Amino acid sequence: MIADIPKIKFTGSGNFFLIAGPCVVESRAVLRDVAGRTAEISAKYDIPLILKASYRKANRSRIDSFSGLGDTKALEILAETGAEYGLPLLTDIHNPGEASLAAKYVDILQIPAFLCRQTDLLTAAAKTGKWVNIKKGQFLSGASMGYAVEKVRYAGNNNILLTERGNMFGYTDMVVDMTNIPAMKKTGVPVIMDITHSLQKPNQPGGVSGGDPEMIGTIGRAAIAAGADGIFLETHPDPAVALSDNASMLHLDMLDDLMYTLTEIRKVINKIEK
């Protein structure tokens, strides 16, 4: 099914697909660095790759947190980088009016988790004809995401992805229930595991989310074993200075080893499922 995504490669490899990139378009240099390295790793392991980055962060806790370079400027940088490396692109939208603008530049519109029940937003994304990746709300079960899928299909679009990103556990922690992966696969659409946001520690006293990046590999291995079709992760050449979500990102230097491990697990799963 993902073979229909424009510009995507290696879809016949039997591997999982990867959505990867920095949290936000913070500079042309960082985005090119991440795109170039992830493209190399994608080719090395025959992993279908989608480059992601938010052109604007509309959900920051603090008013003084970085939210973007400006919508058009960030989208242009994203589009230019995708064209340079021949990669399909994904970005978030936050209200119905953003759908048509972002659709001019990217191949996949992502619905943030907190907004996954917003009918007008889902409908606007669907009507662009682009692929729509819906992140499961931190307050929902996997099975309940069938209703979000129905809304996009009702609007005439069958190009849908679902992403698991954990559930709130108290006020400042997340937990991941791997049974949500097979539950969401019953909708008939590809299911992705977000292995970085699921390790966030939101609502910290300083107004900046924490994280537990040491567990990224653990969540990734479990997700592939549980049958995830794709992996979503945020990566940066120097997470310590990233302008958003720096506490939960994967260091770009660690991506190759992680993709090797997950690819080997996927080979085992493919043999078992034959």
Side-chain angles (χ1 to χ4, degrees):
M1 183 182 295
I2 64 161
D4 296 330
I5 297 174
K7 300 185 291 293
I8 198 163
K9 305 177 182 74
F10 310 118
T11 56
S13 66
N15 215 340
F16 59 90
F17 63 97
L18 175 65
I19 300 172
C23 180
V24 64
V25 179
E26 58 183 63
S27 74
R28 189 184 304 272
V30 167
L31 189 62
R32 289 187 73 253
D33 193 358
V34 173
R37 186 67 184 122
T38 54
E40 289 174 2
I41 294 169
S42 163
K44 181 178 180 179
Y45 297 113
D46 293 337
I47 301 172
L49 174 64
I50 299 159
L51 178 66
K52 67 81 52 187
S54 296
Y55 68 93
R56 174 157 52 93
K57 296 297 291 183
N59 58 345
R60 307 305 304 275
S61 295
R62 290 170 45 163
I63 191 65
D64 59 347
S65 294
F66 178 77
S67 61
L69 300 172
D71 293 356
T72 301
K73 180 178 180 179
L75 284 165
E76 288 176 349
I77 291 172
L78 186 57
E80 290 165 6
T81 306
E84 180 178 356
Y85 292 97
L87 298 174
L89 300 171
L90 175 150
T91 199
D92 303 85
I93 59 172
H94 303 88
N95 63 66
E98 295 179 24
S100 59
L101 172 63
K104 296 176 183 177
Y105 297 90
V106 305
D107 306 287
I108 305 171
L109 300 177
Q110 181 165 278
I111 310 300
F114 282 129
L115 301 177
C116 68
R117 293 182 61 179
Q118 299 299 106
T119 302
D120 289 349
L121 181 60
L122 291 165
T123 299
K127 288 185 175 179
T128 66
K130 298 290 184 174
W131 281 76
V132 181
N133 181 34
I134 314 169
K135 284 200 160 184
K136 182 183 74 63
Q138 300 93 322
F139 45 88
L140 292 174
S141 69
S144 64
M145 289 303 292
Y147 298 111
V149 171
E150 285 179 5
K151 290 177 181 180
V152 176
R153 285 176 173 156
Y154 185 78
N157 190 335
N158 290 311
N159 297 324
I160 307 165
L161 307 168
L162 286 179
T163 297
E164 165 64 76
R165 51 98 75 236
N167 285 84
M168 290 299 300
F169 184 71
Y171 291 116
T172 60
D173 210 349
M174 304 285 295
V175 294
V176 178
D177 178 0
M178 288 296 167
T179 67
N180 280 326
I181 293 175
M184 289 195 290
K185 290 184 75 166
K186 290 181 180 179
T187 63
V189 307
V191 173
I192 303 152
M193 181 70 224
D194 182 339
I195 64 174
T196 51
H197 286 102
S198 61
L199 292 166
Q200 282 184 325
K201 295 183 180 296
N203 302 317
Q204 297 300 306
V208 178
S209 294
D212 193 6
E214 291 184 358
M215 291 294 163
I216 290 172
T218 299
I219 299 296
R221 292 191 294 271
I224 296 300
D229 301 295
I231 293 292
F232 178 111
L233 62 86
E234 290 185 340
T235 184
H236 193 283
D238 187 0
V241 300
L243 299 181
S244 179
D245 286 355
N246 62 353
S248 55
M249 282 191 186
L250 179 74
H251 197 294
L252 188 58
D253 289 347
M254 301 175 69
L255 183 61
D256 192 314
D257 286 347
L258 177 62
M259 291 301 103
Y260 169 76
T261 298
L262 300 189
T263 297
E264 292 298 304
I265 295 172
R266 179 59 177 246
K267 289 176 183 176
V268 174
I269 296 301
N270 287 344
K271 288 180 182 179
I272 292 171
E273 293 181 347
K274 280 185 178 180

